[in-house]
Amino acid sequence: MRKLKTIVCAMMAIALALTITACDETAPIESVNPTGSNAPGTTAPQTTPPRTTFDTDQDVIESVKDLEVENPDLEINDRIKWMAWWEIDETTPAAELFKKTYGTPANGTQADRSGMIFDYTYVAYEGRFDSLGTAIAADDGPDIFPFEISDFPYGVLRGRYQPVDDIVNLDSPKWDATRDLMEDFVLNGKHYCAFYEISINNLFYYRTSIVNDLGVEDPRTMFEEGRWDWDAFLDMARKFQQSGEGKYVVDGYGPEQDFLLSTGTPMIGNENGVIVNNLRDPAVERAENLMLKVLQEENLRYPRHELNSWSINPKGFADGNILFYANGGTWEWESTISKFAKKYAWDENEIQVVPCPKDPQADAHYVTLKQDSLMWCKGSKNASGVSAWIDCCVTASQDPSVKEAAIDQAVDKYGWNKEVLQFIYSLCALDGSSPVTPIVDFKNGLGAVSDTSAAEAPIQSLTSMVYLTGETFTSLRETHEPAIQAAINDINKAIQNG
């Protein structure tokens, strides 16, 4: 079995090569512009959109009243500057704990944020790192920015982030649950990522009534009994496809990656600190064969490239023509599916979720991993605010009563079925009780060969083109493997040279 610690520790090593492959093919680390980006030109931060109104919840406020932070005597005079493509909800348990302990900062740069914890600068997802680098270079950067695996340690080496060791007590028992994960993201002896939660990157949403009408076993029941695997999925998939015209089994922007990682073998892996190419591993080939010979050739996946201009089709799922909508985590309910549930007045048990089905030959039920952390930006002048906010996040995330209050708040705010949300939380448990094993693939950290902004990034095509258009994995591998291996060689050379 691949341990989480073993898998994740390759991330730092892989991203080191970004200084070789993503910026300048021959540039040494020291020549990299400390606040720039690997893309030509820069993108300035965009105007802050109108402030979102979030409703406070008395139960959430009550749940944090007895929680204690590391340093309640910190003086926080300035609002924390947050840059991202979403606004932080200031009524969550972490936010209520912050307000209870420190109040709301008196000073800030945005007049309409008076009485808030954060000043907020919106940036478009595309070009977000350019925007951050531009702001830092102009001495007008944020205090915190979202963590993304694809920007560590690349963003550190480019001067975007600074270590949190001096402002967060990482020796506190609060960090025990994620300590191994954090240790694998150390650079030059310094911690840059204080992970306080993990979550499932992609859930498979389905409608109970559709499954019942099909006359098959409920996927959630099969999962809980250890029988939710490729074979069970395909049996259900073929019955659904044959139940009428225009029926497709799965839609989303990334389920093919979930099937690949369910084998427990990423395309790009780590063995004893050496980055390895797994493109010829039997497990990878087995997953690719599933994508081509079954999902694509039998037309089980939704052919978005043919029917919807390469876009996903959530309405097809709502109309009962797509069995599984696999396009993200809990945010997919909150942003998309809940609207259909309200429009069509679905029963509260109509929407259920399961992880991607297990590879029958794998030694565990592997699922893609998403880590939650905040990066402390270079040039930040609000160390106390950042310290307090990170501490509030970890303190609130690990308290059982707070977690229950947060679930209740999500039920009230977004219309979640509480039992479904509790099930999702159980998958993300950090105490060893989770029935799934998280895994990450490092294929998107290889520089130009994995640049997803390109129309057809070579390493991306090895799954997406097989799954969607039916190109063969073997032919794509022969075409792109030399460039992929060259990138890996550069990475391992960087590791060897320290």
Side-chain angles (χ1 to χ4, degrees):
M1 179 183 297
R2 294 175 181 267
K3 302 290 187 183
L4 175 61
K5 180 170 181 176
T6 302
I7 295 170
V8 175
C9 70
M11 176 50 60
M12 182 177 73
I14 286 178
L16 282 172
L18 291 176
T19 56
I20 299 173
T21 59
C23 180
D24 184 323
E25 292 291 336
T26 60
I29 288 174
E30 55 267 27
S31 72
V32 177
N33 180 336
T35 56
S37 143
N38 60 322
T42 56
T43 304
Q46 300 185 20
T47 304
T48 302
R51 191 176 82 188
T52 303
T53 300
F54 297 105
D55 296 327
T56 57
D57 188 311
Q58 191 58 44
D59 289 339
V60 170
I61 295 172
E62 185 70 16
S63 73
V64 303
K65 71 176 184 177
D66 295 325
L67 296 187
E68 296 182 0
V69 297
E70 289 288 329
N71 191 350
D73 297 323
L74 282 173
E75 290 188 13
I76 304 170
N77 298 314
D78 299 320
R79 290 194 291 276
I80 304 167
K81 296 169 68 175
W82 164 248
M83 176 184 282
W85 45 101
W86 79 90
E87 185 171 0
I88 292 176
D89 181 347
E90 298 199 17
T91 65
T92 61
E96 297 297 356
L97 177 59
F98 186 100
K99 287 183 280 188
K100 176 194 79 108
T101 307
Y102 305 105
T104 54
N107 305 319
T109 59
Q110 298 172 348
D112 67 333
R113 306 289 294 188
S114 178
M116 306 285 283
I117 299 171
F118 299 94
D119 279 347
Y120 170 46
T121 299
Y122 167 80
V123 289
Y125 187 76
E126 295 296 330
R128 60 200 180 282
F129 299 128
D130 290 330
S131 297
L132 175 60
T134 299
I136 292 173
D139 195 27
D140 189 31
D143 296 308
I144 52 177
F145 193 82
F147 163 78
E148 289 187 81
I149 263 187
S150 61
D151 202 39
F152 184 90
Y154 182 54
V156 175
L157 298 170
R158 298 298 291 266
R160 290 198 271 267
Y161 313 116
Q162 56 186 322
V164 298
D165 301 79
D166 293 337
I167 66 168
V168 178
N169 179 18
L170 296 175
D171 292 327
S172 167
K174 293 178 182 181
W175 298 100
D176 287 350
T178 57
R179 192 175 311 283
D180 284 350
L181 181 58
M182 289 192 298
E183 289 302 316
D184 291 322
F185 283 79
V186 170
L187 183 62
N188 296 325
K190 298 292 185 180
H191 295 83
Y192 291 84
C193 305
F195 295 113
Y196 52 90
E197 283 184 326
I198 65 169
S199 57
I200 306 302
N201 195 55
N202 212 16
L203 295 164
F204 278 48
Y205 288 84
Y206 65 95
R207 292 180 54 192
T208 301
S209 64
I210 302 299
V211 169
N212 289 342
D213 289 346
L214 198 58
V216 296
E217 280 193 88
D218 183 78
R220 167 80 175 275
T221 300
M222 286 191 282
F223 170 78
E224 291 174 340
E225 295 178 356
R227 297 183 290 110
W228 179 237
D229 60 14
W230 291 0
D231 296 333
F233 170 83
L234 292 175
D235 181 62
M236 181 182 299
R238 289 166 175 140
K239 289 177 180 176
F240 180 74
Q241 185 196 54
Q242 296 164 12
S243 67
E245 293 294 321
K247 301 291 185 181
Y248 300 98
V249 178
V250 61
D251 185 25
Y253 283 125
E256 63 270 28
Q257 181 68 5
D258 294 298
F259 282 106
L260 173 68
L261 287 182
S262 70
T263 65
T265 303
M267 276 191 174
I268 306 301
N270 167 51
E271 292 181 5
N272 300 318
V274 177
I275 307 309
V276 296
N277 170 358
N278 290 328
L279 295 181
R280 296 181 183 274
D281 189 287
V284 172
E285 293 186 341
R286 185 169 67 253
E288 294 283 356
N289 190 62
L290 171 75
M291 294 177 209
L292 177 65
K293 296 297 183 182
V294 182
L295 299 178
Q296 193 278 332
E297 289 185 3
E298 294 187 28
N299 217 21
L300 298 178
R301 88 285 178 262
Y302 177 69
R304 54 187 173 85
H305 63 300
E306 296 175 344
L307 300 183
N308 208 28
S309 302
W310 294 87
S311 296
I312 57 176
N313 183 15
K315 185 154 191 317
F317 170 75
D319 290 342
N321 294 319
I322 294 170
L323 184 57
F324 291 102
Y325 185 66
N327 193 56
T330 55
W331 56 90
E332 283 300 325
W333 165 266
E334 293 162 6
S335 66
T336 304
I337 301 174
S338 63
K339 295 178 175 62
F340 290 117
K342 184 176 181 180
K343 178 179 179 180
Y344 298 120
W346 287 338
D347 179 86
E348 68 172 359
N349 295 313
E350 176 67 1
I351 296 296
Q352 298 288 331
V353 300
V354 283
C356 177
K358 177 185 180 293
D359 174 7
Q361 297 186 40
D363 59 0
H365 197 140
Y366 292 100
V367 297
T368 49
L369 167 69
K370 177 182 180 296
Q371 304 104 313
D372 288 330
S373 182
L374 300 163
M375 303 302 289
W376 186 26
C377 298
K378 205 69 173 277
S380 164
K381 301 174 180 66
N382 193 358
S384 59
V386 175
S387 173
W389 178 248
I390 292 175
D391 190 22
C392 287
C393 287
V394 68
T395 302
S397 71
Q398 295 184 6
D399 186 89
S401 62
V402 170
K403 184 170 291 187
E404 193 64 24
I407 290 174
D408 289 339
Q409 184 186 43
V411 170
D412 292 339
K413 187 174 291 188
Y414 300 110
W416 272 103
N417 177 317
K418 183 174 181 177
E419 191 275 336
V420 172
L421 197 55
Q422 288 173 324
F423 168 68
I424 295 172
Y425 269 64
S426 74
L427 300 178
C428 308
L430 288 166
D431 60 3
S433 64
S434 173
V436 296
T437 301
I439 185 172
V440 290
D441 196 323
F442 309 121
K443 70 188 183 82
N444 290 332
L446 302 180
V449 297
S450 55
D451 180 6
T452 55
S453 66
E456 289 185 18
I459 204 158
Q460 190 78 8
S461 71
L462 291 171
T463 50
S464 63
M465 293 299 101
V466 174
Y467 171 78
L468 282 175
T469 67
E471 294 186 52
T472 67
F473 174 63
T474 52
S475 64
L476 287 167
R477 182 176 59 191
E478 292 305 311
T479 299
H480 298 305
E481 190 174 24
I484 292 169
Q485 187 59 55
I488 292 172
N489 291 342
D490 284 342
I491 292 168
N492 285 327
K493 184 179 179 180
I495 296 171
Q496 226 175 18
N497 293 338

